[in-house]
Amino acid sequence: MSHVKSNKNPLVTQSDFGLEDGAVASMYGVALSTDPDLQIHNLTHNIPPYNIWEGSFRLAQSIAYWPQGSVFVSVVDPGVGSDRRSVVAKTATGHYIVTPDNGTLTHVDSIHGIAEVREIDETLNRLKGSEASYTFHGRDVYAFTGARLASGIISYAEVGPECDPASIVRLPYRTTVIDDGAITGIVDALDVRYGSLWTSIPREEFLSLGFEFGDRVRVHVSHQDGTVHANHVTYVPSFASVEVGESLAYVNSLDRMAIAINRGSYARAFDISTGPNWHITLGHPA
């Protein structure tokens, strides 16, 4: 029996819509009306409302584990109806992201790289009959365009005109800084259900300071340049390496450093949040 390779790619959706009403179902409906054979998956629809930073991070957390050619539709769009661009980015990993150009591509660009960007030509890639609607581009433009791209109805070139990748909107994203035997990065995200702090500090940069398992690590967290937390934790391979209730530093699933309490929420215990103004420093005890 011969096998013909399908030109269809997975369509993966993310938004801050939640699942309490019909918004996500409407996006699914548009996509399946475009091609009933599409495979549609959820990344998450629980991004906190309007939180572009969180949407940016969750994309970067996930895309590399999907097949090349997968199409991601990400809609965290507080500026819907404004003059912000609608784009499809092609990543250096061979994935496509359909999104408003509002900073959602920040982490993907920093971690994986963006190879090409095209602005969506809405005269061709927009749900018919939706032209007078300005508040649901997730359904009318992004789900529609993403489905057409994933199904092979249009090529990437047919999305619209090319843009300079350097022109995309980026949120303030501080690279790591090593100074005086310590390394500073950002509290990128929380391991949501468990409250661990996921940092932007790569494992190899942390280890370059000479840390080994069992060492104590000085943790300093600041928000808008004011200190909000200081502590000492133990660098260990896993949660099982410490007692229940004990704090730890470990390497998370993105090969970056994280801080946690075994069976507790570090973020809730010390009232720590995420974003470009939340800085974290890891160093040797004084």
Side-chain angles (χ1 to χ4, degrees), residues 40 62 82 107 123 148 158 182 204 224 252 263:
I40 308 178
S62 307
S82 70
H107 285 86
T123 64
R148 283 161 59 83
E158 292 173 302
E204 290 187 356
Q224 295 179 335
N252 69 13
R263 302 196 193 180

Side-chain angles (χ1 to χ4, degrees), residues 180-182 211 216-220 230-233 281-286:
D180 195 24
F211 282 104
R216 296 291 283 172
V217 180
R218 174 173 53 86
V219 178
H220 179 274
N231 195 9
H232 289 82
V233 304
T281 300
L282 306 180
H284 292 280

Side-chain angles (χ1 to χ4, degrees), residues 53-105:
W53 178 273
E54 181 86 4
S56 172
F57 181 84
R58 297 304 170 195
L59 282 170
Q61 180 184 2
S62 307
I63 61 169
Y65 301 100
W66 286 83
Q68 285 192 359
S70 296
V71 177
F72 292 77
V73 172
S74 180
V75 190
V76 183
D77 194 15
V80 63
S82 70
D83 59 358
R84 58 96 184 94
R85 295 185 299 186
S86 297
V87 299
V88 182
K90 183 178 181 181
T91 71
T93 55
H95 302 86
Y96 298 92
I97 302 173
V98 186
T99 183
D101 180 24
N102 59 7
T104 301
L105 297 169

